[in-house]
Amino acid sequence: MIKPTPLSGFPEWLPGQQIAEQRVIDIIRSVYELHGFSRLETSAVERVSILAAKGEINKEIYGLGRLQGTPGRWEMALHFDLTVPLARYVAQNSGAVNFPFKRWQIQKVWRGERPQEGRFREFYQADIDVIGDGELPLSFDAELPAVIHEIFQKLGIRAQININNRKVLLGYYQSLGLDETKSADVLREVDKIDKIGADKVREALTKMEIDSQTADKCLALCSLKGAPQEVLAKAKELGTDNEIFQKGLEELAFVADELSHIGSENLIFNLGIVRGLDYYTGTIYETMLPDYPSLGSICSGGRYENLASQFINRKLPGVGISIGLSRLISHLFAQNALDCSRQTPTQVLISWPSEELRPACRAIAAALREQGIPTEIFHEVAALKKQIRYADRKGIPFMLFPHQYTEEAQLVEVKDLKTGEQVQLPLLSWIESQQK
Amino acid sequence: MIKPTPLSGFPEWLPGQQIAEQRVIDIIRSVYELHGFSRLETSAVERVSILAAKGEINKEIYGLGRLQGTPGRWEMALHFDLTVPLARYVAQNSGAVNFPFKRWQIQKVWRGERPQEGRFREFYQADIDVIGDGELPLSFDAELPAVIHEIFQKLGIRAQININNRKVLLGYYQSLGLDETKSADVLREVDKIDKIGADKVREALTKMEIDSQTADKCLALCSLKGAPQEVLAKAKELGTDNEIFQKGLEELAFVADELSHIGSENLIFNLGIVRGLDYYTGTIYETMLPDYPSLGSICSGGRYENLASQFINRKLPGVGISIGLSRLISHLFAQNALDCSRQTPTQVLISWPSEELRPACRAIAAALREQGIPTEIFHEVAALKKQIRYADRKGIPFMLFPHQYTEEAQLVEVKDLKTGEQVQLPLLSWIESQQK
């Protein structure tokens, strides 16, 4: 006998959790689609030459080889994110894609990392990106946080979307006389402010031979955090007419205006977020869940200049955001924050009391399913106790008894297994009561 | 620049096809859930020791290794079907699973086969199985074809479900005096009847030193094919009181009765289907699509004795069926049999004619999305022609003009982009007309 030991870093959920995870995925997808994002699914496998195009995280990539093939050079590997596949897909199908291309992509990705709490080797990401051909309107920068806000509202989870714009930071550093290299260095230090605190950042800036007045100014800027209009006002007070800085503030002001429907408890402008990657060029996002602070940012992204420059000679600017779905869900499971009591989609279990009632059971089941109500008939003639135990264990909410059912009257008895309440009524009346 | 050359055997669909594929998946899943099958998703990666438990198709399995790791023995690999992962999952979580366990599983699987038309290296399967603890009622054998029938009805594709029962064949061979080994040999030959014809099968049987009378009887049995009641009657006429044979006929009779709502053009009993694997012990299924004969069986399965005997010391009989989803979809794409005209879920594109109308656009979009209607506002103020071209290219059915919109009257103009028809009416009236 072979012992089925779990593989560390490859999470699998229990039966009740499976349904809870699907519910979260369905909500995310439905909101993405309500905003006109269309499905993209790419193959899990890419050429190594594609994945290694930037040469950075090679060591985490899982290569593929046939178990009985001759080991040689790796040619194929599993994707480690959904952005490289998107870029490759768009480059490959650039003639078939209509721009701006709005796509959602909810797929697993694989990374050969050392597994630790909340970090997996196989996990789901849920991404949206909008890709323009040559240029991309700013309205999309405002749409992404609106979509994310709607998702967390529907999930019933408080989410705080932090927004910044790299142009504000870089334009300001330019106005302080810092050159590009120095600006990048400063960004890297500022990015650590949440972890190491303002004092340590100041220390680091001083070590770069930035004078203390300039360091203070950098810190003053990245400390601005709060309601969008307030942050914008304070940033303006910092007073510089640097063009890039001003452009950044204009973009932020547009985003603030578009998102005025989101309360300031859920939307803050935070000039201290940087996003590690150099990739981003304008608006950037990080989303925290106040009720789950240890999660950190669970959803981040931003505006970038050119999606697919390594594959195609065509400027494709974009803006994207990604929900760390598996990390989110596993945290919610650990906190008992998702209802996992249902082990089946079945809403109604029809009791099967005797062979004679089989036609009645079948007719009732067909009527319920036709109305979109997931239904099971108990799978054999059995003692009532056994049938109820099955419903209880699987978390089926209703049990239906067909004894009274005739084609004419269509009377049924329905028992609510939570409250114990039992009613007798025509089948159609009960269906209608469920659909309200 | 890196050329993004496609990987052969790893299919990816064009934007319009992506949505069509999702529609098919959604229909399959919804019918599975209407019958109370609950979601299972297992990790794509398994221990090699698990996948190789039966030692058969090792050479097709893709092993995983870190690109920069030291190549050594394969420990992990991608799953090549959904049955082994199911067995492993049930064995591993046998305490958390409630039996009978009804699960659907729609996931990609990977096989390092030589790619050819309709055969992929990465492809979707859509499986359901019911697993019992110790025993499993026969009603499930009848439920699976009912589910499959409902799916193809909803897909609008004619499907012919072929059903047989291994007990009928094996019991009959026993009554003819064939021992187990010989029975298995006969099964293997009969399995080829569709490919090589009855004459060749008779030849093969003769070579096994089966006398010509016995061979004729074997062939007579496996030639029975047609409406369930007819086939049952003819099988009975073959006249043997072998117990296993009788038990098989009884099981078939129950299944026929349960499936009497399916017309005989869609449901046939075919005593000539065998299903290659030794695995199956009772009811077996194969489903052909009469309009796409070259596809062969697109959905097959059957009843088996013991799911997880290699992992756990507990008898877990089951019955399962699997739709070859990617093979089906790629064939339908090739035949232009799926509507791929929509490149977006967006139902309504709201024209954005001027900056002043921005609040009206936002209010209308919010109202539409609240009613579940996927909506985009055009992403910038632009010439009407440009906005209509965007809708046309993406296959968006309706364009909405907000010029008349005030909070009180809520008048909008809506243009049907297919018919050219344009109406002016209150937003809510239009929404209602769409929801009928």
Side-chain angles (χ1 to χ4, degrees):
Chain A
M1 204 115 44
I2 294 152
K3 205 180 161 204
T5 321
L7 266 174
S8 116
F10 293 82
E12 272 183 343
W13 312 126
L14 294 173
Q17 295 175 320
Q18 292 273 346
I19 291 178
E21 181 184 50
Q22 184 72 63
R23 195 166 53 234
V24 172
I25 292 174
D26 287 347
I27 288 173
I28 293 173
R29 171 186 157 196
S30 75
V31 177
Y32 285 168
E33 294 197 335
L34 276 177
H35 286 261
F37 289 84
S38 68
R39 178 203 198 226
L40 177 64
E41 183 158 298
T42 62
S43 65
V45 177
E46 297 279 345
R47 288 180 191 280
V48 169
S49 56
I50 300 282
L51 295 181
K54 288 185 175 172
E56 268 171 32
I57 58 163
N58 279 0
K59 63 182 194 299
E60 294 177 357
I61 297 178
Y62 279 121
L64 290 189
R66 293 247 302 259
L67 280 196
Q68 293 185 349
T70 0
R73 281 161 53 100
W74 298 105
E75 284 188 17
M76 303 191 300
L78 294 173
H79 58 210
F80 58 85
D81 76 358
L82 303 178
T83 304
V84 174
L86 169 66
R88 192 264 310 146
Y89 179 90
V90 170
Q92 202 167 300
N93 299 288
S94 61
V97 166
N98 285 305
F99 296 95
F101 181 49
K102 300 176 79 171
R103 82 86 176 79
W104 64 262
Q105 192 165 1
I106 302 178
Q107 279 186 258
K108 283 184 178 164
V109 304
W110 292 266
R111 293 184 191 171
E113 293 188 289
R114 190 179 297 274
Q116 35 178 289
E117 203 190 304
R119 182 178 291 176
F120 302 118
R121 292 174 167 176
E122 170 174 318
F123 56 97
Y124 262 117
Q125 286 193 181
D127 287 17
I128 41 174
D129 283 81
V130 189
I131 315 298
D133 183 11
E135 52 184 30
L136 184 72
L138 189 62
S139 58
F140 293 114
D141 292 47
E143 184 173 29
L144 299 203
V147 169
I148 296 302
H149 172 67
E150 208 172 313
I151 285 172
F152 282 98
Q153 268 197 319
K154 289 193 176 170
L155 289 172
I157 298 171
R158 286 202 296 148
Q160 195 183 51
I161 304 176
N162 288 251
I163 298 183
N164 193 3
N165 190 306
R166 280 253 178 120
K167 293 191 179 100
V168 173
L169 303 181
L170 294 172
Y172 192 67
Y173 299 160
Q174 197 179 63
S175 78
L176 296 176
L178 303 173
D179 65 17
E180 260 184 52
T181 322
K182 214 132 210 188
S183 282
D185 292 344
V186 173
L187 269 190
R188 205 162 12 254
E189 291 307 321
V190 165
D191 196 19
K192 301 177 192 160
I193 198 164
D194 275 348
K195 275 185 199 147
I196 63 174
D199 286 347
K200 294 262 181 191
V201 172
R202 179 179 289 116
E203 229 172 77
L205 296 186
T206 314
K207 270 190 199 146
M208 288 178 203
E209 299 180 358
I210 288 174
D211 64 75
S212 75
Q213 214 185 347
T214 305
D216 282 346
K217 285 186 173 178
C218 290
L219 283 164
L221 184 72
C222 74
S223 307
L224 293 181
K225 180 176 173 180
Q229 297 305 339
E230 276 169 43
V231 170
L232 285 173
K234 283 188 188 154
K236 272 178 199 151
E237 277 169 24
L238 291 177
T240 156
D241 53 4
N242 175 283
E243 266 184 47
I244 300 174
F245 176 79
Q246 289 299 339
K247 179 89 170 103
L249 286 185
E250 266 170 45
E251 292 185 3
L252 278 179
F254 177 85
V255 169
D257 190 42
E258 283 284 285
L259 299 177
S260 52
H261 64 288
I262 302 180
S264 60
E265 70 284 10
N266 295 318
L267 183 79
I268 64 172
F269 277 8
N270 179 350
L271 304 195
I273 67 166
V274 170
R275 304 280 316 123
L277 297 162
D278 289 337
Y279 190 58
Y280 297 112
T281 52
T283 315
I284 46 183
Y285 318 103
E286 286 199 357
T287 303
M288 282 66 164
L289 309 184
D291 296 330
Y292 309 98
S294 67
L295 253 185
S297 177
I298 194 63
C299 171
S300 48
R303 159 75 73 148
Y304 42 86
E305 210 55 52
N306 202 343
L307 177 73
S309 53
Q310 66 270 49
F311 304 122
I312 192 175
N313 191 7
R314 188 166 167 185
K315 201 191 160 211
L316 301 169
V319 58
I321 198 160
S322 172
I323 301 176
L325 188 50
S326 293
R327 202 158 61 81
L328 171 66
I329 284 177
S330 75
H331 194 78
L332 296 176
F333 284 154
Q335 306 286 319
N336 288 316
L338 285 175
D339 176 10
C340 300
S341 61
R342 298 284 299 275
Q343 297 214 351
T344 171
T346 304
Q347 278 285 107
V348 182
L349 177 67
I350 301 173
S351 159
W352 185 10
S354 66
E355 182 54 29
E356 296 78 60
L357 280 165
R358 180 144 69 96
C361 291
R362 299 299 175 267
I364 296 169
L368 287 165
R369 291 188 189 122
E370 194 150 314
Q371 296 301 315
I373 298 175
T375 300
E376 280 179 72
I377 301 166
F378 193 72
H379 36 271
E380 61 189 348
V381 175
L384 183 57
K385 211 172 134 187
K386 188 175 175 186
Q387 305 197 25
I388 291 183
R389 194 171 56 220
Y390 176 81
D392 268 345
R393 284 195 179 155
K394 291 213 170 171
I396 299 173
F398 297 101
M399 184 110 190
L400 186 148
F401 304 97
H403 306 76
Q404 318 278 326
Y405 188 88
T406 59
E407 218 178 304
E408 301 76 42
Q410 308 210 339
L411 269 186
V412 294
E413 260 176 77
V414 186
K415 182 173 182 150
D416 182 325
L417 291 176
K418 251 190 200 146
T419 64
E421 200 191 346
Q422 191 157 334
V423 291
Q424 194 187 53
L425 74 184
L427 180 59
L428 281 178
S429 313
W430 187 76
I431 290 175
E432 273 168 28
S433 75
Q434 290 304 300
Q435 289 172 335
K436 265 169 201 159
Chain B
M1 205 115 44
I2 295 153
K3 207 180 161 204
T5 320
L7 266 174
S8 115
F10 293 82
E12 273 183 342
W13 312 125
L14 294 174
Q17 294 175 321
Q18 292 273 347
I19 291 178
E21 180 183 48
Q22 183 73 63
R23 195 166 52 235
V24 172
I25 293 174
D26 287 345
I27 287 174
I28 293 173
R29 172 186 157 195
S30 75
V31 177
Y32 285 168
E33 296 197 335
L34 275 178
H35 286 260
F37 289 84
S38 69
R39 176 201 197 227
L40 178 63
E41 183 158 300
T42 62
S43 66
V45 177
E46 297 279 347
R47 289 180 190 280
V48 168
S49 57
I50 300 282
L51 295 181
K54 289 186 175 169
E56 267 173 32
I57 57 163
N58 278 0
K59 62 182 195 296
E60 292 176 358
I61 296 177
Y62 279 121
L64 290 189
R66 293 246 302 260
L67 280 199
Q68 293 184 348
T70 0
R73 282 161 53 99
W74 298 106
E75 285 189 14
M76 304 192 297
L78 294 173
H79 58 210
F80 59 85
D81 77 356
L82 303 178
T83 303
V84 175
L86 169 66
R88 192 262 312 145
Y89 179 89
V90 171
Q92 202 167 298
N93 299 287
S94 61
V97 167
N98 285 305
F99 296 95
F101 180 50
K102 301 176 78 171
R103 81 89 175 79
W104 64 261
Q105 191 165 1
I106 304 178
Q107 278 187 258
K108 283 186 177 163
V109 305
W110 292 267
R111 292 183 191 173
E113 293 188 290
R114 191 179 298 273
Q116 36 179 287
E117 204 190 303
R119 181 176 292 177
F120 301 118
R121 293 174 165 174
E122 170 175 319
F123 57 97
Y124 262 116
Q125 286 193 183
D127 285 18
I128 42 176
D129 282 81
V130 189
I131 315 298
D133 183 10
E135 52 183 29
L136 185 73
L138 190 62
S139 59
F140 294 115
D141 292 47
E143 183 173 29
L144 300 202
V147 169
I148 296 303
H149 172 67
E150 207 172 314
I151 286 172
F152 282 98
Q153 268 197 319
K154 289 195 176 169
L155 289 172
I157 298 171
R158 286 203 295 148
Q160 196 183 52
I161 304 176
N162 288 251
I163 298 184
N164 192 4
N165 190 308
R166 280 252 178 123
K167 294 192 178 100
V168 174
L169 303 182
L170 294 172
Y172 193 67
Y173 299 159
Q174 197 178 64
S175 77
L176 297 175
L178 304 173
D179 64 14
E180 261 186 50
T181 323
K182 214 137 210 184
S183 282
D185 292 344
V186 173
L187 270 189
R188 211 172 358 264
E189 292 307 319
V190 164
D191 196 21
K192 301 178 192 157
I193 197 165
D194 275 348
K195 275 186 198 143
I196 63 175
D199 287 348
K200 295 261 180 195
V201 172
R202 178 179 289 111
E203 230 171 77
L205 296 187
T206 315
K207 271 190 197 144
M208 288 179 204
E209 299 181 358
I210 289 173
D211 64 76
S212 76
Q213 215 185 346
T214 306
D216 282 346
K217 285 187 174 175
C218 290
L219 283 164
L221 184 73
C222 74
S223 305
L224 294 181
K225 180 177 171 181
Q229 297 305 339
E230 277 170 41
V231 170
L232 285 172
K234 284 187 186 154
K236 272 178 201 153
E237 278 168 25
L238 291 177
T240 157
D241 52 7
N242 175 283
E243 267 182 48
I244 299 173
F245 176 78
Q246 290 298 340
K247 178 88 172 105
L249 287 186
E250 266 169 46
E251 292 186 2
L252 279 178
F254 177 85
V255 168
D257 190 42
E258 282 284 284
L259 299 177
S260 53
H261 63 288
I262 303 180
S264 61
E265 69 282 12
N266 295 319
L267 183 79
I268 64 173
F269 277 7
N270 180 350
L271 303 195
I273 68 166
V274 171
R275 304 280 317 123
L277 296 163
D278 290 334
Y279 191 57
Y280 298 111
T281 52
T283 317
I284 46 181
Y285 317 103
E286 286 198 357
T287 303
M288 282 67 162
L289 310 184
D291 297 329
Y292 309 99
S294 67
L295 253 184
S297 176
I298 195 64
C299 170
S300 48
R303 158 76 70 151
Y304 42 87
E305 212 53 53
N306 202 343
L307 176 73
S309 53
Q310 66 270 51
F311 305 122
I312 193 174
N313 192 8
R314 186 166 169 185
K315 201 191 160 210
L316 301 170
V319 57
I321 198 161
S322 171
I323 301 176
L325 188 50
S326 293
R327 203 158 61 82
L328 172 65
I329 284 178
S330 76
H331 195 79
L332 295 176
F333 284 153
Q335 306 287 320
N336 287 317
L338 285 175
D339 176 11
C340 299
S341 61
R342 298 282 301 274
Q343 298 215 348
T344 170
T346 304
Q347 277 286 106
V348 182
L349 177 67
I350 302 173
S351 158
W352 185 8
S354 66
E355 183 54 29
E356 296 77 60
L357 281 165
R358 180 145 68 97
C361 291
R362 299 298 174 271
I364 296 168
L368 287 164
R369 289 186 190 125
E370 194 149 316
Q371 296 301 315
I373 299 175
T375 301
E376 281 179 72
I377 301 166
F378 193 72
H379 37 271
E380 61 188 348
V381 175
L384 183 57
K385 211 171 135 185
K386 187 175 174 186
Q387 305 195 28
I388 291 182
R389 192 170 57 219
Y390 175 81
D392 269 346
R393 283 192 179 158
K394 290 213 171 171
I396 299 172
F398 296 101
M399 183 109 189
L400 185 151
F401 305 96
H403 305 76
Q404 318 277 326
Y405 188 88
T406 59
E407 219 176 303
E408 301 76 41
Q410 308 209 341
L411 269 187
V412 294
E413 263 176 75
V414 186
K415 182 172 184 150
D416 182 327
L417 290 176
K418 248 189 201 149
T419 64
E421 200 191 344
Q422 192 156 333
V423 290
Q424 195 187 53
L425 77 183
L427 179 59
L428 282 178
S429 314
W430 186 76
I431 290 175
E432 274 168 28
S433 74
Q434 289 305 297
Q435 288 171 335
K436 267 171 202 160

